[in-house]
Amino acid sequence: KSDLDGAYFVIQQPFKLLENKDDLEYLGQDIIKDQTKVDVVKLQYYNDDGSMNNTWWFYFNASSHRLEGNMVRHGDTYSYIVNESYEAITGLSLNQTRTSYRVDSLRNIQYVRAKYLYDFTN
């Protein structure tokens, strides 16, 4: 069930961002991965009591506007997720392969946390 929940969360990004538009902040442009220029959007998620739960940064390709990756802060740790390939079956250009890295707050990679492959053929 947790794998299914995780896959659903990944697929709904970035479409779900508009539901939280009051908590979105455009941070300008940055360079990621292999010198890809991106627009950076920050989103704060809050608990029911109003305390901050976690923070996400979304990296959209400045030319194609495709989601290139994310960084997320959970407590004191950061993960940087790079979208490496996209499916062509649905016409939505959803993530097909991704790698998650443990990073510091500046996105300096410490180690690979996980690799993901989403199969859209079934």
Side-chain angles (χ1 to χ4, degrees):
K1 182 178 179 332
S2 67
D3 286 347
L4 183 60
D5 288 344
Y8 177 72
F9 182 81
V10 168
I11 288 173
Q12 69 181 348
Q13 290 177 319
F15 307 106
K16 195 171 173 155
L17 289 177
L18 292 177
E19 291 179 14
N20 299 296
K21 63 185 174 187
D22 292 339
D23 298 316
L24 286 176
E25 179 181 0
Y26 177 68
L27 300 179
Q29 293 191 327
D30 199 354
I31 302 292
I32 63 165
K33 296 195 304 190
D34 55 356
Q35 300 305 308
T36 302
K37 185 186 278 188
V38 293
D39 289 305
V40 182
V41 175
K42 179 180 172 184
L43 176 60
Q44 302 272 47
Y45 285 98
Y46 296 92
N47 296 314
D48 291 338
D49 66 2
S51 63
M52 188 170 48
N53 184 342
N54 54 48
T55 304
W56 283 79
W57 292 264
F58 295 86
Y59 303 104
F60 293 96
N61 186 298
S63 298
S64 69
H65 309 294
R66 180 174 63 187
L67 183 63
E68 296 286 340
N70 319 76
M71 187 166 78
V72 60
R73 178 181 178 200
H74 294 291
D76 294 333
T77 65
Y78 293 83
S79 295
Y80 175 49
I81 303 105
V82 177
N83 300 331
E84 296 164 335
S85 69
Y86 302 85
E87 58 81 32
I89 294 171
T90 66
L92 298 174
S93 192
L94 300 171
N95 308 319
Q96 186 165 23
T97 59
R98 315 172 88 203
T99 299
S100 175
Y101 300 92
R102 178 68 163 283
V103 296
D104 62 19
S105 62
L106 301 175
R107 278 196 330 263
N108 295 311
I109 295 173
Q110 297 169 351
Y111 57 85
V112 173
R113 292 183 63 237
K115 290 187 174 273
Y116 302 93
L117 168 64
Y118 301 98
D119 183 0
F120 293 89
T121 60
N122 293 322

